[in-house]
Amino acid sequence: MDCVFCAIVEGDAPSRTVYQGDGVVAFLDANPLAAGHTLVVPTEHCARLEALSRDQVAELFGAVHDLLRPVQDAAGAEGATVAVNDGPAAGQEVPHVHCHVVPRTAGDGGGPIHAAMGRRPDLYEAELDAVAERIRDSA
Ligand SMILES: [Zn+2]
């Protein structure tokens, strides 16, 4: 398998690694949206978030939690956008789960996560009720 994040985890590709924990590694994004833009990845290759075990998810987001303050402090930021592009349809480019931690400051030109969609669809109450029911039924 030719996975750049697995290569980073194995030390076979260069990275600015900032954190190594139980089953988790974090390094600076090679195409940063801001200084300090960090990617947090499971050490085991896995393409999609739902394919991780609950323990792996706890390790991943535990590391995100622990990194929020150091990333913001290092970047002189006042906040952070935390996001996972889960699947190619959502814009995931590297098929190895990764959580973005992007340090943010007021007036940095970035938008909220809602801006990722570009526009908001017009949805009827009945559609929202139906989708909520489908989620409840399968969760
Ligand atoms: Zn991988």
Side-chain angles (χ1 to χ4, degrees):
M1 182 174 347
D2 194 24
C3 172
V4 66
F5 291 169
C6 282
I8 288 172
V9 167
E10 295 300 321
D12 294 333
S15 73
R16 292 185 173 90
T17 297
V18 298
Y19 177 92
Q20 289 182 298
D22 251 1
V24 179
V25 169
F27 46 86
L28 297 189
D29 192 306
N31 299 298
L33 297 171
H37 178 174
T38 298
L39 300 179
V40 187
V41 310
T43 55
E44 183 180 320
H45 181 85
C46 192
R48 299 293 293 268
L49 194 55
E50 68 184 335
L52 293 173
S53 70
R54 288 179 67 96
D55 284 347
Q56 287 175 305
V57 171
E59 291 165 355
L60 182 73
F61 285 99
V64 169
H65 170 271
D66 293 348
L67 282 161
L68 276 168
R69 179 51 45 204
V71 166
Q72 289 175 78
D73 287 350
E78 303 146 354
T81 292
V82 176
V84 174
N85 298 318
D86 192 43
Q92 182 179 8
E93 293 180 345
V94 176
H96 183 136
V97 172
H98 52 289
C99 183
H100 294 263
V101 180
V102 184
R104 301 291 304 269
T105 55
D108 64 8
I113 271 297
H114 277 66
M117 293 297 289
R119 63 172 191 84
R120 294 187 193 195
D122 292 323
L123 296 169
Y124 296 102
E125 295 295 323
E127 292 176 86
L128 296 172
D129 290 342
V131 75
E133 187 172 331
R134 288 195 300 273
I135 293 169
R136 276 193 301 270
D137 286 352
S138 62

